[in-house]
Amino acid sequence: MLLVLWLLALLPALAYALRPREGAVLAPARLALIRASILLGAFAIAVVEAASAFTALTAGTVVAAWIGATLATAAAVVVRCVKDVDPDGLRVQSLDVLREELRSRRGATRRTWRRTKSAAAAAPAWQWALGCVIAILAVSAAVLAVASSPNNFDSLTYHLPRIEHWVQHASVAVYATEIHRQVDLGPGAEYLLTHLRLVSGGDGAYNLLQYLAGVGALLAASRIAAQLGGGPLAQLATVFLLATTPEILLQATSTQVDLVNAAWVAALATVVLDEFTRPGDAHGAALRAAAPGTDALYLGLALGLIAVTKTTGLLAAAPLLLIWGIGRLVRDGQRRRPCLCGRSPARCSRADASRAWASRGRTVLASLAVIALMLAVAGPFLARMQEAFGSPLGPPMLRDSIGVQTADPRLLLVNALHIAHTGLDTPLFFLSDATAAAINGLAHALGVDPDDPRITFMTTEFPVPAWYPDEDRAAFPLTGLASLAGLAWFAVKGPGLRRAYAGALAFAFLAVACTVAWQPWINRLVVFLVVLGAPAAGVLAAALVKGIATSARDKRRRRAAISVISAVAVLASIAGLLTVAYGYPRRLTGAWSVFSLTDMEERFVRRLEWLPQYEAAAAAVNAVEPEHVGLVQSNDSWEYPWWILLPDADIHPLASVVPGRPGADPADMDAIVCAEDLDQCADLVPPGWEYTELGTVAYAVPPEPE
């Protein structure tokens, strides 16, 4: 928690130092926080990679790095203070003068705060109600994040065990394992958790990473709503929709990585939109001319953070960056310089053309810088994948299990419909069953199998219930439908920036449907699309409210609009409150409340029948006081509990699916633990050892000395 508090103090300080100039952009405070988050995220990943290169990924290295970052931030804050007081460097003669200037500015800030507070107090009661719902959900999610032990299924399988291996080896180099996802899936979020692990020695603060990512995603989404023309009401509606979305609330209290990915994608999106929302006067033109370098820095780092965290986010980043590049090139071609008195029009035309080509050159260089920065952040991980598996995308088993394996447009259409149906699933079973049957009927009419393995993960079958608040499956019908309505409105009514944004999201969804096979937990894989779509819903909701307030002629239409908005707000509030109260696998109330379970029961809440087996095996192994414990398991076993139950031992996989990384020799181990793959375990146990099976779990210890 100390490091978390340290970061919470460091983030606003760095944001102040990075704050844009007055009038340069919309919502400058939020942009400053986003910029600071991007820089700190990239810094944290760079520290892990640099330390690993020297096999020095230790607590001392991490603490030293953050002390250095704190000192650098403090220096940047001092420099910014001086610039704020005296931009030209002419008036500040002493520290006393500087102190007086800062005091006067503080008084102006207080007056601004009073005006803002007065305006907020004048807001209608229903807006205050929305704000109260958001606050209640935010506090509830924070309590769950702090009070809960990590218990996500994937986290116990590969997200968290990989951190323990890195700490054990003092490096993030590829290691032997039977769970290939520990080494071939993007490790960006786990790199950030590694800092917490090394400083704290445990996982007590792990859930806070996704919680803070959720807060960052909401800030970025609200700013996107402002950039798309939405006022305070549109921004409030955007935050409300996202804050009440069950999947986002559930992710915000877990150690999954989808919300971290969504936050980086939203950060990139809002920086992209800055290109089109700067002031249109001469001051704005100057800012746009100087923007490529600044934008390229944050776009490149954000793109790298997406690439190293979860590559599905690149499906949205690509069209957004294309919009940014095209927008800059179009503006470069439109720049004109006034023809001076005495110059011929021909000379003026040549000067304009030369200036336009120079601007285009800067844009091209900025685009190359974005790619270079992305490679600087994600390159080391991609290089390790190339070395270990012969491809930067990892082993074929990863691509074959998750990716779409066909270009047949009929199957791609069915895959898109499967993904949409699962995301919009509701507890109205007659409706869900009817739409699922219609999709499968369409597949049969097209002559394809709706569960074709080329568009379906492993042996799963469509449909699956996704309406209930489970962090791996929770649907988002209200947010999804509202976002679709907003994006359709953008596409029909414009203006151009809104149309381009809607087009980018449509491309991103199609890209997901063409590359990611449907799976029962597909909803958590598209959280980044939910975050990007919510601003469109917020802008549309604000427009409807404005229409209701100004229209008095069509009473029937007005009543209908009021009914729809009220129903969505009430249903969303109920969904959010029920999620934090009864969500799975973390909830505030009921028999499975985090306050009624022990720490180990929380960790095993999805498989409580395994807990006594793990504890019995660990007790038997700890009794021999081992230094090195061999591990045997299957591809989907829970490895992380062994690291909790065997804290004093180094754990070494005895079998491996990683080329060139064989498992450890069982004869060199002091004990062996196994999960699920017990036949393989029995074959690996050295002769004469005592081998015991407990059901799903087994263990082996050497014979007692005579």
Side-chain angles (χ1 to χ4, degrees):
M1 296 301 295
L2 179 61
L3 180 58
V4 172
L5 295 175
W6 189 355
L7 291 176
L8 289 178
L10 191 61
L11 181 64
L14 182 59
Y16 168 74
L18 298 173
R19 189 187 64 202
R21 285 180 289 176
E22 195 68 31
V25 293
L26 291 171
R30 276 172 279 179
L31 177 60
L33 285 170
I34 290 167
R35 287 179 172 180
S37 300
I38 291 173
L39 284 182
L40 289 178
F43 170 76
I45 288 176
V47 169
V48 171
E49 291 287 4
S52 295
F54 298 95
T55 318
L57 187 58
T58 63
T61 302
V62 168
V63 170
W66 284 108
I67 290 175
T70 302
L71 294 175
T73 299
V77 168
V78 171
V79 171
R80 185 57 188 264
C81 286
V82 174
K83 286 185 176 180
D84 282 348
V85 172
D86 188 12
D88 300 322
L90 299 176
R91 290 176 295 156
V92 177
Q93 303 292 330
S94 66
L95 289 177
D96 292 335
V97 176
L98 176 61
R99 192 178 297 110
E100 289 299 322
E101 291 282 356
L102 290 175
R103 189 175 290 117
S104 64
R105 285 179 175 269
R106 193 182 305 119
T109 302
R110 287 174 179 169
R111 289 190 293 272
T112 302
W113 169 250
R114 291 193 194 99
R115 289 194 297 268
T116 303
K117 187 176 179 181
S118 299
W126 63 269
Q127 293 186 25
W128 274 101
L130 296 184
C132 287
V133 171
I134 295 171
I136 291 170
L137 293 175
V139 172
S140 300
V143 171
L144 279 172
V146 173
S148 303
S149 298
N151 59 3
N152 173 268
F153 198 105
D154 284 349
S155 296
L156 298 176
T157 300
Y158 67 94
H159 287 307
L160 303 187
R162 70 198 313 189
I163 297 174
E164 299 303 318
H165 282 287
W166 297 339
V167 172
Q168 180 174 291
H169 300 145
S171 170
V172 295
V174 175
Y175 55 86
T177 178
E178 289 187 276
I179 302 176
H180 68 88
R181 290 167 293 171
Q182 289 186 9
V183 296
D184 58 35
L185 285 182
E190 292 90 332
Y191 281 0
L192 304 182
L193 290 178
T194 300
H195 289 258
L196 294 174
R197 168 64 176 83
L198 287 170
V199 174
S200 68
D203 58 14
Y206 276 8
N207 291 332
L208 290 177
L209 174 63
Q210 283 254 109
Y211 181 82
L212 295 176
V215 174
L218 265 62
L219 286 176
S222 68
R223 187 169 187 268
I224 291 172
Q227 292 171 300
L228 294 174
L233 181 56
Q235 297 167 52
L236 174 64
T238 298
V239 173
F240 174 79
L241 269 177
L242 290 177
T244 55
T245 301
E247 182 62 27
I248 289 179
L249 283 170
L250 292 162
Q251 287 266 336
T253 63
S254 82
T255 46
Q256 270 289 7
V257 302
D258 304 284
L259 204 49
V260 176
N261 182 54
W264 297 136
V265 174
L268 181 139
T270 193
V271 176
V272 164
L273 293 178
D274 275 336
E275 171 60 31
F276 306 93
T277 56
R278 291 186 176 91
D281 54 14
H283 177 59
L287 292 172
R288 280 192 294 273
T294 302
D295 286 350
L297 171 64
Y298 296 108
L299 289 175
L301 294 178
L303 186 64
L305 290 167
I306 295 168
V308 79
T309 300
K310 200 154 193 169
T311 52
T312 50
L314 297 176
L315 301 177
L320 289 168
L321 287 172
L322 184 62
I323 291 173
W324 176 79
I326 292 175
R328 283 214 60 88
L329 290 174
V330 170
R331 288 180 184 274
D332 292 340
Q334 292 175 345
R335 290 199 177 109
R336 291 291 182 269
R337 184 172 60 183
C339 190
L340 300 177
C341 180
R343 287 190 176 182
S344 66
R347 292 183 63 186
C348 285
S349 297
R350 286 196 296 271
D352 288 345
S354 175
R355 190 179 185 190
W357 278 109
S359 298
R360 292 191 184 103
R362 287 193 295 271
T363 297
V364 170
L365 289 176
S367 301
L368 294 175
V370 169
I371 297 174
L373 287 167
M374 183 274 288
L375 292 175
V377 176
F381 170 69
L382 298 177
R384 284 195 297 276
M385 293 302 96
Q386 177 67 39
E387 178 187 0
F389 301 107
S391 169
L393 300 179
M397 69 180 78
L398 174 64
R399 302 190 294 275
D400 294 344
S401 63
I402 297 177
V404 168
Q405 303 298 316
T406 180
D408 188 333
R410 299 171 300 169
L411 288 173
L412 296 179
L413 173 62
V414 173
N415 192 47
L417 293 175
H418 283 180
I419 294 172
H421 177 276
T422 307
L424 301 177
D425 192 27
T426 70
L428 303 175
F429 304 125
F430 68 91
L431 180 61
S432 296
D433 294 343
T435 53
I439 293 171
N440 287 342
L442 175 63
H444 290 303
L446 294 173
V448 297
D449 179 6
D451 294 319
D452 191 301
R454 291 173 292 178
I455 59 168
T456 306
F457 180 81
M458 305 296 282
T459 59
T460 57
E461 295 183 1
F462 174 86
V464 294
W467 58 268
Y468 56 93
D470 183 301
E471 69 173 345
D472 286 334
R473 300 193 182 190
F476 33 81
L478 293 176
T479 307
L481 290 173
S483 299
L484 288 174
L487 292 171
W489 181 57
F490 279 9
V492 172
K493 301 207 67 172
L497 180 59
R498 292 183 180 179
R499 286 197 177 99
Y501 188 79
L505 265 62
F507 176 91
F509 175 77
L510 292 175
V512 169
C514 292
T515 57
V516 181
W518 176 86
Q519 45 206 277
W521 42 89
I522 188 67
N523 288 340
R524 66 175 178 79
L525 303 184
V526 296
V527 168
F528 68 97
L529 292 179
V530 177
V531 172
L532 293 180
V539 174
L540 175 59
L544 290 175
V545 170
K546 183 178 180 181
I548 292 170
T550 58
S551 175
R553 291 180 298 176
D554 194 339
K555 293 183 178 179
R556 185 175 299 175
R557 183 178 298 176
R558 183 178 179 184
R559 289 196 195 103
I562 292 174
S563 300
V564 170
I565 293 176
S566 300
V568 170
V570 171
L571 290 174
S573 300
I574 293 173
L577 293 171
L578 288 176
T579 296
V580 295
Y582 297 104
Y584 191 71
R586 291 167 299 280
R587 60 177 60 175
L588 290 174
T589 61
W592 302 105
S593 166
V594 297
F595 302 113
S596 61
L597 299 175
T598 66
D599 176 73
M600 292 306 298
E601 286 174 340
E602 286 180 35
R603 297 178 187 277
F604 281 83
V605 70
R606 284 193 181 273
R607 297 288 189 274
L608 272 177
E609 67 275 14
W610 290 355
L611 175 57
Q613 300 178 33
Y614 271 84
E615 288 183 326
V621 169
N622 281 325
V624 302
E625 300 180 352
E627 293 184 14
H628 303 282
V629 175
L631 175 65
V632 181
Q633 57 194 355
S634 68
N635 183 58
D636 209 28
S637 297
W638 283 9
E639 177 181 330
Y640 189 60
W642 296 124
W643 294 94
I644 301 298
L645 294 168
L646 304 171
D648 299 323
D650 290 341
I651 296 179
H652 308 274
L654 300 183
S656 175
V657 296
V658 181
R661 304 293 193 282
D665 186 347
D668 295 334
M669 300 296 107
D670 302 315
I672 295 174
V673 292
C674 316
E676 296 188 274
D677 201 344
L678 302 189
D679 291 338
Q680 181 189 20
C681 182
D683 293 338
L684 290 173
V685 172
W689 281 33
E690 180 184 343
Y691 173 69
T692 305
E693 291 189 4
L694 302 173
T696 301
V697 169
Y699 68 91
V701 293
E704 294 184 6
E706 296 182 2

